Amino acid sequence: MKSPARVLLAGVAVAATIGALAGCSAGEGEENADGKVELRVATFPPGADAAAYEAFATQEKQFEDEHPDIDIIGVEYEWEGPTFAVQLAGGSLPDVFTVPFTDSKTLLENGQLMDVTDEIEELGYTDSFNPIILDGVTDGEGHIFGFPRQAYAMGLHYNRDLFEQAGLDPDSPPTTWEQVREYAKKISDATGKAGYAQMAINNTGGWQLTAQTVARGGRTQVDNADGTAESTIDNDGTRNTLQFLHDLRWEDDSFGSKVDLDWGTINQEFAAGNIGMYTSGSDVYTALVRDFGMSPDQYGLGVVPVEGDDPGTLGGGDIAVISPTVDDDTKAAAVTWIDWYYMQKLLDEDAAVADAKALSDSGQAVGTPVLPVLSRELYEESLTWIEPYINVPRDQMAPFIDSIWDQTPVGEAKKSTQEVYALLDGVVQTVLTDENADIDALLAKAQTDAQALLDQ
Amino acid sequence: MTLPPRAEAASAPVAPARRKPRRSPVTWYRGGGLWNLLFLLPMIFVFFFFSWSPIVQSVIMSLQKTNLIVSEWVGLDNYVTVLSDPELGRAVINTLYFAVLALLFGFPLPLFMAVLMSEVKRGKGVYSALAYLPVVIPPVVAVLLWKFFYSADPAGVFNTALGWVGIPPQPWLSSATQAMPSLVLEATWAAAGGSIIIYLAALLSVPPELYDAAEVDGASIWRKVWHVTIPQLRGILFIMLILQVIATAQVFLEPFLFTGGGPAGATKTVLLYIYDKAFRNSLGGDYGEATAVSVLLAIVLAILSWLYFKLTNRWSTS
């Protein structure tokens, strides 16, 4: 009956069960064996190349030498709305991570961010931030919930090789939408590639439609001070943008056949040389070269053409934040890390040089055009500090760098941003897949649907 | 000569079966009950944590407005909201459309192939292996491969093939009308192998003398199929049909990977609707509404499954 083997098996079964149960409830050890505070920090998206890891390892070592009581653990991380809430609930978020401006308000309202008002005061940053940007991480009572880390403006990215093949001057990108259309036609006729492409899925369709509405002087939403918002999708800026897409796709046949691109896939297509021009954040150069293997020689960047009354350039960016579930020791370590890793290189010459050197030594992009989260003067001064390490072809980005300061920066809508983007995806897709789409009817319906979302 | 007692007992009328005695804890323990329980423990815990408790939690969640951190009870509000959402109606219609197309393409084809293959005298193994091959390819890989085939470019794989016979390039996945049939085509290709194997096995159980009789009557091969094979496979055909309906009601992978539910919602199925509700659009996710639709879908599938079990029981005993 009780053979040894049977007793052993039963013992193993029970032990396995107990082990599994213990595993379910095991908390994270905040302090490791040496009494150091363990800090799990976001590094870069999964799939980055070995050089990126190398650069991070160098920086990690520098930091740990300066702060021997903190043990940094790099965690691969990519901000994704879908998984964020689940990771937060499941306790698998890094202690320090970054979120886009657009989502910070929602996270703030949901109580999903750590209050860092006192820490920012203590570090003396409160007055140096660009107030428009700081507003995005401040709640109604003036509490601050994160460190704005970098910002971008929308830019027009173009492939210099395809420009040359189409007989266009790669140093002078188009400056009006009419020209964009004309150049796209030339590129597509000469090379058979898509002269111009645009994102259309996973909320990026709505994002780019909004960006180009703003560039044509329209606005898709008015956020009121009392927290309500009004949808204004049915405006001429949006109408002209959709008409522009329709004409390229159906009349000129210069849009190419891919109407299901998002941020990642359009970068991939562009890096592979299949797209002449597209609009996206000015900071994608790093991803194009690091993650998608684009040759730097082919890359060109200009500003998004603006027209109409009160046009602007949609901007965005991200914020370094701390998980709301960490204890005080970890929070203090997290603030130290954010200050060292993200902020000092914007403020302090030695830190900026050390950061640029670590990146350039491992072949990472240094000098990708961004918008300052502090002041323009400080940003331009920091560029002079790191001059010797700049390794991106800034002369090929001159059309953007020289003109971006003349454009008015406009922030993304703050209420239900992603939901409205998702709704607008459908509008963009309809125009790109149905030659006879009724743009006026689409806009009227989208505005009604968006208002319903905003009123929830 | 008298019969031996044993035979006598055998010919005696059968006594009514005695009811089993109620087992006391002591007899349960002596019979090794504790050991059985110990061996079952890991399984019970695995089921509890990974199956039963999530089911109970999702029913609870469907009655709440929650972002997984803060929850408030809203009763049946989530159900009211989703049932009055035209998007859900569209997703149900899309799912039914997928199911109908999958039946039209995918139901007769494996049967036809199986009948053909069963007639083959040599190399049956090779054909079976070839038919089953698509099932072996990981579904995600298969979809990404087909996405490449479906490129709307005139130089795309399928468009090039159409060009040879003089058909102009098709938009495939980027057309609201062609996207769903394109998805079904891939799904059929991916799933047909499994059905073919089952039908082949079922065909072996058809008594050969029925075919012989039909042959004596001078029946052609198609008449044999129609009058002998199909009636004999009636049970398995019906079971496969229900299984397919259950599977198509849960279609997610193809629309998610091929089109993300696009273009403009033309391929958004019920499961994708649930996914989008929970994950796509908001940081807190509308988990309450998403689980409400999940619960409704689970009820529909439970009814179908019950039907399936009833029918399989009836056929297995007849």
Side-chain angles (χ1 to χ4, degrees):
Chain A
M1 178 76 214
K2 291 188 186 177
S3 68
R6 191 166 167 174
V7 172
L8 186 70
L9 261 175
V12 168
V14 173
T17 307
I18 291 168
L21 288 178
C24 288
S25 59
E28 289 170 41
E30 291 295 1
E31 286 205 358
N32 64 10
D34 322 333
K36 290 184 178 181
V37 177
E38 280 192 359
L39 187 68
R40 299 167 69 253
V41 302
T43 52
F44 20 66
D49 60 4
Y53 288 91
E54 222 172 279
F56 185 81
T58 311
Q59 290 170 314
E60 185 183 339
K61 192 174 173 321
Q62 286 172 354
F63 178 83
E64 287 177 352
D65 289 345
E66 287 174 42
H67 303 90
D69 55 337
I70 301 174
D71 180 16
I72 295 291
I73 299 163
V75 181
E76 283 189 342
Y77 169 84
E78 184 170 20
W79 161 260
E80 280 179 342
T83 48
F84 174 79
V86 182
Q87 286 179 315
L88 182 66
S92 56
L93 273 182
D95 301 327
V96 176
F97 53 96
T98 55
V99 298
F101 289 174
T102 34
D103 297 312
S104 57
K105 275 283 190 229
T106 317
L107 294 175
L108 223 161
E109 284 159 15
N110 292 351
Q112 292 169 317
L113 297 178
M114 175 72 89
D115 184 344
V116 289
T117 318
D118 300 346
E119 286 76 7
I120 289 195
E121 280 285 352
E122 205 171 305
L123 292 164
Y125 289 155
T126 317
D127 302 331
S128 32
F129 278 117
N130 178 337
I132 302 173
I133 287 177
L134 195 61
D135 180 56
V137 281
T138 310
D139 71 1
E141 285 137 35
H143 292 285
I144 302 171
F145 287 83
F147 295 72
R149 162 184 98 88
Q150 75 172 29
Y152 66 84
M154 215 55 78
L156 181 76
H157 308 261
Y158 62 97
N159 182 314
R160 297 172 64 90
D161 278 6
L162 294 179
F163 262 55
E164 280 175 11
Q165 287 172 38
L168 299 163
D169 176 4
D171 291 325
S172 49
T175 51
T176 65
W177 285 108
E178 208 40 57
Q179 269 184 335
V180 173
R181 184 176 172 181
E182 192 186 313
Y183 284 27
K185 180 77 182 138
K186 281 184 178 160
I187 291 170
S188 140
D189 288 349
T191 64
K193 308 282 190 191
Y196 174 91
Q198 189 159 321
M199 303 173 210
I201 63 166
N202 296 341
N203 304 7
T204 58
W207 176 48
Q208 288 303 312
L209 179 63
T210 304
Q212 296 182 16
T213 297
V214 169
R216 288 178 171 88
R219 297 289 184 275
T220 54
Q221 194 170 315
V222 178
D223 290 311
N224 302 322
D226 61 357
T228 59
E230 201 182 319
S231 176
T232 52
I233 288 169
D234 195 352
N235 68 71
D236 286 341
T238 313
R239 189 169 292 106
N240 295 340
T241 304
L242 291 171
Q243 192 58 51
F244 169 84
L245 292 175
H246 175 274
D247 294 349
L248 263 69
R249 172 95 173 92
W250 302 108
E251 287 183 19
D252 301 354
D253 198 18
S254 60
F255 190 92
S257 57
K258 288 204 160 56
V259 294
D260 58 348
L261 298 171
D262 63 7
W263 189 89
T265 45
I266 204 164
N267 286 343
Q268 203 174 348
E269 285 288 314
F270 181 71
N274 296 332
I275 293 175
M277 298 174 277
Y278 75 113
T279 56
S280 186
S282 60
D283 56 354
V284 298
Y285 174 85
T286 308
L288 289 171
V289 175
R290 182 184 71 192
D291 306 337
F292 299 106
M294 183 168 186
S295 152
D297 309 340
Q298 297 179 351
Y299 181 80
L301 175 64
V303 284
V304 173
V306 288
E307 61 185 38
D309 306 331
D310 187 29
T313 301
L314 196 74
D318 60 29
I319 300 155
V321 295
I322 301 171
S323 167
T325 54
V326 301
D327 60 24
D328 287 348
D329 287 351
T330 313
K331 181 181 170 183
V335 170
T336 312
W337 168 255
I338 292 176
D339 181 42
W340 187 91
Y341 185 69
Y342 295 118
M343 306 308 302
Q344 283 302 314
K345 62 184 172 197
L346 306 176
L347 292 155
D348 174 80
E349 181 165 0
D350 294 345
V353 169
D355 175 74
K357 185 174 183 313
L359 289 174
S360 83
D361 283 352
S362 55
Q364 298 292 290
V366 177
T368 304
V370 293
L371 285 187
V373 289
L374 302 163
S375 66
R376 181 182 171 182
E377 292 74 24
L378 202 55
Y379 169 63
E380 293 191 330
E381 192 184 357
S382 76
L383 285 175
T384 60
W385 300 334
I386 60 169
E387 185 84 54
Y389 301 104
I390 289 181
N391 56 10
V392 303
R394 280 182 76 87
D395 51 336
Q396 290 164 215
M397 305 174 182
F400 176 87
I401 294 166
D402 298 343
S403 312
I404 188 62
W405 306 107
D406 307 333
Q407 299 195 336
T408 314
V410 174
E412 291 173 89
K414 284 181 178 161
K415 196 168 161 63
S416 308
T417 324
Q418 299 294 336
E419 281 97 330
V420 174
Y421 283 170
L423 186 82
L424 293 175
D425 271 0
V427 175
V428 174
Q429 288 169 15
T430 307
V431 170
L432 291 177
T433 56
D434 176 6
E435 190 170 356
N436 306 314
D438 179 347
I439 292 176
D440 290 336
L442 283 171
L443 287 178
K445 185 174 183 315
Q447 178 158 311
T448 314
D449 292 352
Q451 194 58 54
L453 283 172
L454 296 171
D455 293 340
Q456 270 178 11
Chain B
M1 195 182 161
T2 53
L3 285 168
R6 197 164 299 194
E8 221 170 281
S11 58
V14 181
R18 270 200 335 200
R19 214 184 296 161
K20 269 177 139 179
R22 292 275 304 275
R23 295 181 64 177
S24 71
V26 176
T27 49
W28 172 81
Y29 175 75
R30 286 201 183 136
L34 186 63
W35 290 105
N36 298 344
L37 188 65
L38 280 181
F39 279 112
L40 273 176
L41 262 188
M43 211 58 225
I44 289 175
F45 277 116
V46 166
F47 267 104
F48 178 79
F49 278 110
F50 296 105
S51 286
W52 304 325
S53 105
I55 289 171
V56 172
Q57 276 178 339
S58 53
V59 173
I60 292 170
M61 211 191 266
S62 73
L63 303 171
Q64 295 175 323
K65 186 167 179 56
T66 174
N67 63 5
L68 303 180
I69 307 282
V70 192
S71 313
E72 57 169 306
W73 289 94
V74 293
L76 293 175
D77 281 8
N78 290 329
Y79 290 88
V80 174
T81 312
V82 293
L83 287 173
S84 56
D85 183 2
E87 279 265 320
L88 178 61
R90 186 163 181 202
V92 170
I93 290 168
N94 282 339
T95 309
L96 289 174
Y97 180 43
F98 183 97
V100 169
L101 281 178
L103 284 180
L104 288 177
F105 289 173
F107 193 63
L109 184 80
L111 179 66
F112 177 73
M113 299 281 290
V115 170
L116 276 187
M117 281 161 63
S118 68
E119 294 295 321
V120 172
K121 294 287 177 280
R122 271 194 301 186
K124 205 177 270 195
V126 177
Y127 288 111
S128 304
L130 281 176
Y132 198 69
L133 208 55
V135 184
V136 181
I137 297 174
V140 175
V141 175
V143 168
L144 294 177
L145 202 65
W146 276 68
K147 200 171 175 171
F148 172 72
F149 294 163
Y150 278 138
S151 168
D153 216 308
V157 176
F158 286 161
N159 280 340
T160 306
L162 289 181
W164 294 334
V165 287
I167 300 173
Q170 298 299 313
W172 301 111
L173 299 169
S174 47
S175 136
T177 46
Q178 289 184 14
M180 195 64 104
S182 304
L183 262 57
V184 173
L185 196 63
E186 188 276 340
T188 303
W189 168 86
S195 312
I196 290 175
I197 300 291
I198 292 173
Y199 287 136
L200 274 176
L203 285 168
L204 293 177
S205 68
V206 178
E209 49 271 26
L210 291 177
Y211 288 119
D212 298 343
E215 205 138 328
V216 170
D217 292 342
S220 68
I221 176 165
W222 295 117
R223 296 201 60 158
K224 277 195 284 182
V225 169
W226 187 248
H227 291 288
V228 178
T229 315
I230 300 217
Q232 287 292 315
L233 293 186
R234 197 187 56 218
I236 194 87
L237 279 171
F238 198 80
I239 287 167
M240 294 294 286
L241 181 74
I242 292 182
L243 280 178
Q244 187 168 7
V245 170
I246 292 173
T248 50
Q250 302 178 68
V251 64
F252 172 78
L253 183 91
E254 286 85 3
F256 179 70
L257 286 174
F258 268 127
T259 57
T267 55
K268 197 171 191 177
T269 58
V270 175
L271 231 62
L272 199 56
Y273 173 89
I274 293 171
Y275 175 87
D276 281 355
K277 267 268 180 244
F279 300 120
R280 166 73 40 93
N281 299 340
S282 48
L283 302 167
D286 224 323
Y287 299 111
E289 287 179 15
T291 43
V293 186
S294 309
V295 170
L296 293 172
L297 179 66
I299 291 170
V300 172
L301 291 178
I303 293 169
L304 282 174
S305 305
W306 172 80
L307 197 67
Y308 164 76
F309 279 120
K310 258 195 109 55
L311 292 168
T312 45
N313 273 342
R314 184 191 308 168
W315 276 311
S316 59
T317 51
S318 66

